[in-house]
Amino acid sequence: MGIAMAKAVFVPKSERETIAERKRLEEEERAMEEAVKRKLEHRKIETRQIVVEKIREDTEIQKNMELEANIEDVDTDDELNEAEEYEAWKAREIARIKRDREEREAMIKEREEIEKVRNMTEEERREWERKNPKPAPPPKQKWRFMQKYYHKGAFFQTDADDPAATAGAQNIYHRDFSAPTGDDKMDKTILPKVMQVKHFGRSGRTKWTHLVNEDTTDWNNPWTYNDPLRAKYNAKMAAVNVPIAKPKGSKKLKDWEMK
């Protein structure tokens, strides 16, 4: 009543199916590798031929351009008048040397002036300031009612710090940016009160004329209440209701001075 078992039978190596299947798979894999190698070699040959053809075309185009080109087509005046060019260069070089010398002398003079003022006494400095007053700033123009503000920017407002002066201030930046333009030239004080707002009649009009004309105090803020609780709080705060007087000093400092 035991389990039936198959009898072990010896099979020669040449008749085994597993060995034949493994060999077949190895042959197929080797054939695929050979096909991939041949494909890569063929692609390299094609790429090399394309590159050679492209170089040949570029060479032909360059030769045709050189044959068709004419030296007179190039407009160059490098050797037109060498003497005048040299004189112009010499004038520019002399001006540059003179400018550098003047800037260096001005810097040394300013440094000496600063050192001289530092070594003065208070009386000498007041006398020097009286004789050399600072230039008064230009008067500011009074703005019109509800005039629009334009910021002139922060770049290119001063002279360039490089010798070539490639980023110097332009004349447009020296204009008066506080001058009225457009609708601001009109006197808006004669308009009715309802029209004295920005963008009147548009969807983006403002509600107020300006902050000076409106009271923006928040009366719901507890710091603005004038009730007993606020008075009690002020009474407890240090030096709020005490008059400002000269400090008396400490007792230790007085004893030390007496000694």
Side-chain angles (χ1 to χ4, degrees), residues 148-161:
K148 189 176 181 181
Y149 170 75
Y150 291 97
H151 193 282
K152 68 176 182 178
F155 300 99
F156 308 110
Q157 301 300 323
T158 58
D159 295 334
D161 55 356

Side-chain angles (χ1 to χ4, degrees), residues 4 21 74 169 202 214 227 242:
E21 184 69 17
V74 181
R202 302 180 185 178
E214 309 297 337
D227 53 359
V242 179

Side-chain angles (χ1 to χ4, degrees), residues 142-147 183-197 209-210 213:
K142 184 176 176 59
W143 283 45
R144 291 175 175 265
F145 179 68
M146 292 182 60
Q147 180 179 338
D183 296 339
D184 294 335
K185 294 181 179 180
M186 183 185 67
D187 187 9
K188 296 183 181 179
T189 57
I190 62 176
L191 295 176
K193 191 70 174 178
V194 69
M195 296 180 65
Q196 291 181 357
V197 293
T209 304
H210 47 73
N213 192 39

Side-chain angles (χ1 to χ4, degrees), residues 12 46 91 139 216 235:
E46 288 183 352
T216 58

Side-chain angles (χ1 to χ4, degrees), residues 28-43:
E28 290 180 357
E29 185 176 358
R30 192 177 300 109
M32 290 177 63
E33 291 178 357
E34 292 293 334
V36 170
K37 288 181 180 180
R38 287 194 300 270
K39 188 175 180 180
L40 289 176
E41 291 293 333
H42 183 66
R43 185 176 297 176

Side-chain angles (χ1 to χ4, degrees), residues 211-230:
L211 292 178
V212 179
N213 192 39
E214 309 297 337
D215 185 7
T216 58
T217 305
D218 186 9
W219 295 104
N220 295 323
N221 192 339
W223 302 106
T224 58
Y225 288 161
N226 294 323
D227 53 359
L229 183 62
R230 178 64 182 176

Side-chain angles (χ1 to χ4, degrees), residues 9 22 61 156 174 178 191 201 203 207 214 231 236 239 244 250:
V9 180
R22 189 185 307 119
I61 293 173
F156 308 110
H174 295 293
S178 61
L191 295 176
S203 60
K207 184 178 180 180
E214 309 297 337
K236 289 184 178 180
I244 300 175
S250 61

Side-chain angles (χ1 to χ4, degrees), residues 6-21:
K7 181 179 180 182
V9 180
F10 176 77
V11 179
K13 185 176 181 180
S14 59
E15 297 179 3
R16 296 175 189 173
E17 296 181 358
T18 55
I19 300 297
E21 184 69 17

